[in-house]
Amino acid sequence: MSKDKVTELLKNYKSYKAAIEDYERPYGEDNYGKYMVAAPCRTAGYSDMPMGGSYGPRVPKLTGDWYYEDFKEYEEYQYVVRRIGIALDALNTDERTVITLKWLDDFTLDEISQRKRFSLPTVKRIHRRALEKLEISLKFVRPPGWKHTDEDGVKIYDKNAS
């Protein structure tokens, strides 16, 4: 995985977490039915009866108006958030702090150096070293919805392919 992909994952980390929380809380703060909503075994709530006017059968839909594709995306987001958390835990304290401030809290490296009372070159070195470690840790993690092509533009993987 390139540094660009690592920074893309880090930039979107909070959004991924928010999407997971939204998916898990459809019934409000009490979380009633939390596991029913996210359960892959929820069967389609449809019948083979025409919708009326002979337009054909209804589109299969999971109960609660959640589609199976939503659940698959939820699983992807969960996986990515879990892997980013594991990768961040593998960093030392200074590296984790610099990465968190830079990519999750939108600080500049200069602001981080002032806040941490490190010189700017030191913060840049810590940041570079942390990104190199994250690049290794997140080598096989792909952003949700990722599509891969070879050098000739031939699609190798598409999450939407059957």
Side-chain angles (χ1 to χ4, degrees):
M1 172 173 285
S2 69
K3 284 190 176 108
D4 292 337
K5 293 276 190 222
V6 170
T7 57
E8 178 186 345
L9 288 173
L10 291 171
K11 280 187 219 177
N12 294 321
Y13 179 70
K14 284 184 175 181
S15 297
Y16 297 150
K17 281 183 77 167
I20 289 169
E21 289 175 15
D22 285 345
Y23 186 85
E24 291 175 346
R25 273 188 292 134
Y27 296 113
E29 296 301 320
D30 61 355
N31 281 330
Y32 174 75
K34 168 180 173 181
Y35 297 105
M36 270 309 288
V37 171
C41 60
R42 288 172 47 228
T43 57
Y46 73 101
S47 74
D48 289 329
M49 295 297 295
M51 291 172 42
S54 66
Y55 291 110
R58 293 185 170 110
V59 177
K61 187 167 57 169
L62 295 177
T63 56
D65 294 324
W66 290 98
Y67 293 93
Y68 185 69
E69 290 81 20
D70 293 334
F71 176 73
K72 295 309 286 179
E73 286 182 29
Y74 165 78
E75 282 185 326
E76 283 184 49
Y77 280 44
Q78 263 191 330
Y79 174 75
V80 168
V81 166
R82 188 173 51 249
R83 296 304 304 163
I84 292 171
I86 291 168
L88 289 173
D89 288 343
L91 301 175
N92 69 37
T93 306
D94 288 337
E95 292 167 342
R96 187 172 36 254
T97 302
V98 168
I99 290 295
T100 301
L101 291 172
K102 170 74 175 149
W103 296 105
L104 306 182
D105 296 332
D106 295 324
F107 281 72
T108 65
L109 292 177
D110 191 39
E111 292 169 336
I112 296 169
S113 70
Q114 293 170 9
R115 183 179 180 137
K116 294 294 290 172
R117 296 191 177 119
F118 291 157
S119 68
L120 185 57
T122 300
V123 170
K124 286 181 178 180
R125 182 177 42 79
I126 292 170
H127 181 253
R128 181 182 34 80
R129 187 175 59 218
L131 283 179
E132 288 169 357
K133 288 181 180 181
L134 288 172
E135 190 175 353
I136 294 167
S137 297
L138 299 171
K139 175 115 178 123
F140 301 108
V141 176
R142 301 296 180 240
W146 177 77
K147 295 177 179 157
H148 182 73
T149 56
D150 65 8
E151 299 84 28
D152 299 324
V154 176
K155 195 178 294 183
I156 295 173
Y157 168 78
D158 179 355
K159 77 166 188 145
N160 296 320
S162 302

